[in-house]
Amino acid sequence: MKKAQIFQLSVIVVLIMFFAEKYFQLETLHGYEYYNRILDITQSEQVAKQFLLLYKVQKLSEYLVLLAIAFASSRFLFTKLELKTKWYISIPVTLFASSILGLIFSLLLSFINPYYSITANNGLANYSEIRMFSHLFLRQSIHVFLAISLGLLFKQLESLLSKNDIKILNLLGARYWVFEFAIHFTVTSLIFAFVQVGQTRSQFALTVPISLSISLATTVMSLIFLNTFTKNAQLDFSKFADKISKCWLLTMGMVSLLYFSVELNLHFGDRYLNVSISSMLIITAILFILFLIITLVHFYFSSKNIRENIALRVELGDTSSSLAQLKSQINPHFLFNSLNSIYGIALAEKSPKTADGVQKLSEMMRFMLKENTQEKISLNKEIEYIHNYIDLQSLRLDTNKHVQLNVSIEQPCDGNISPMLLIPMIENAFKHGVSIDKPSFIDIALKCNEHYVSLNVKNSNHHKEKKVAEESGIGLENVRKRLELLYPEKHLFQVYENEETYEAFIKIELA
């Protein structure tokens, strides 16, 4: 089972446990306390039972809606932010969306439940209706903001784990991350000791599990920090506003895990209204800056060994690639002479399609033997190879009326690229996206400019059983590894799959 699948399964298990816990709380102690609060106000058992049922439905519905918001943000918002690399607009956009949705939820909640300010821990608060609604609006907006942040956090972790080789995690090694965790635990314990001066040993011991949980969370955030602020195994502070916005929003996603775990227990009335939101944000900001600095400083002093590790991996990768290329160059003159003979026979027998196919195949083989041995080639040559491959496959599909092929390739394209990084996605589409008796489609869109090239390939998914022979060749996983080695921090590679379609997207910076 892949790491991303394990992560997704873990998230599902955690969600089931979360809703089970909240339901248990509503059915037992918290439900009983809420019933007593309403009974004290209305002096009617029937009314208290009705509002207790309403309260249970309300709270579970709120969690379901927030879960839907988290899923939507991870599915759509994260993808757009990552593709366009415009995280600097994420915070204002998230705040605006949270305010709008928070206002809608507040109006709906105040209309459904006139006792919305009452929870299991407080009765009727002595505040004006305007102020109570203002704090309801504030609370709902915070909930939406945290739900969006949580969705983005889960998508970021899933994106990291979907890679077969988690670069930062693996390059630094287990010793680095154990030491990182130890630093975070020490700092967190010192903070608790400073805040709770004069506590006994038993009281301090009670904070140890909390410190361990916080340290684990901040260590995970360290992985995200380094993934964002490093390039070629060195600290990189370019596009600082974009990167700091991304890290801050994902940190709030981590904070939301703690918040939602205790949200049902929080007072809405006196306790909630008297808590200074600004001070909470200030404390969160201080901790964010503190652990960000710790992470980057620790990485800085370890970066020399990391770069040596990367250099060794690149050297090993180049050696393996050279061996594979040498093995593929078996009797090239014999193959070209044979193709020329078949080409002449096809022309003599007046078979223009066969002759055209042989010519395309000959050009592709020449590319494989000459261009593919170079470190980088012209992007136009790579695209020419793609055209030849698509034309050759089109000859095979001419008689298949079930296949719809749409190709959009921009040309000319300036710049150089490592060979054979784009074609595997197109090969995969023709290999696994075409059925002889079912409707099939392949959509290929290649865009380029002086800064980057992007390729999006979408095809029908027929759930073919993959045989060993079909798994030969470069493959998408090998492309992913080559991108990690050749274009660190300069590429984006994503795959989306469902029951009907399979889609792969790659974007490479050329500069």
Side-chain angles (χ1 to χ4, degrees), residues 20-36 52 55-56 120 264-265:
E21 178 196 9
K22 296 303 180 185
Y23 179 79
F24 178 77
Q25 290 177 351
L26 290 169
E27 284 292 321
T28 54
L29 179 62
H30 290 289
Y32 176 76
E33 293 294 336
Y34 182 80
Y35 173 82
N36 288 333
L52 173 59
Y55 179 67
K56 294 178 181 178
L264 190 63
N265 304 324

Side-chain angles (χ1 to χ4, degrees), residues 303-318:
S303 58
K304 182 179 179 180
N305 292 333
I306 298 167
R307 286 194 296 272
E308 291 176 354
N309 194 349
I310 289 179
L312 179 61
R313 291 186 64 193
V314 171
E315 183 178 348
L316 290 174
D318 290 343

Side-chain angles (χ1 to χ4, degrees), residues 211-342:
S211 297
L212 289 172
S213 300
I214 294 175
S215 302
L216 177 61
T218 52
T219 303
V220 172
M221 288 309 305
S222 294
L223 171 62
I224 295 175
F225 291 159
L226 293 181
N227 186 65
T228 305
F229 278 99
T230 56
K231 186 176 183 179
N232 297 330
Q234 293 182 335
L235 293 178
D236 177 29
F237 295 101
S238 61
K239 300 181 180 178
F240 183 78
D242 190 72
K243 293 178 178 179
I244 202 71
S245 298
K246 176 180 180 179
C247 289
W248 170 252
L249 197 59
L250 295 176
T251 300
M252 294 309 297
M254 190 65 72
V255 171
S256 68
L257 290 174
L258 173 63
Y259 178 86
F260 285 123
S261 65
V262 300
E263 186 274 332
L264 190 63
N265 304 324
L266 292 178
H267 294 233
F268 183 90
D270 296 340
R271 178 182 174 187
Y272 185 81
L273 294 175
N274 291 330
V275 171
S276 174
I277 300 300
S278 59
S279 64
M280 292 172 61
L281 292 177
I282 291 173
I283 293 173
T284 304
I286 292 174
L287 291 176
F288 168 75
I289 295 172
L290 178 63
F291 286 115
L292 176 61
I293 293 173
I294 291 173
T295 298
L296 299 184
V297 169
H298 185 202
F299 176 83
Y300 175 78
F301 287 106
S302 306
S303 58
K304 182 179 179 180
N305 292 333
I306 298 167
R307 286 194 296 272
E308 291 176 354
N309 194 349
I310 289 179
L312 179 61
R313 291 186 64 193
V314 171
E315 183 178 348
L316 290 174
D318 290 343
T319 302
S320 301
S321 179
S322 298
L323 287 173
Q325 290 169 0
L326 288 173
K327 290 178 180 179
S328 68
Q329 295 179 7
I330 301 174
N331 296 325
H333 295 291
F334 167 76
L335 294 175
F336 274 119
N337 290 336
S338 299
L339 285 175
N340 286 333
S341 299
I342 297 173

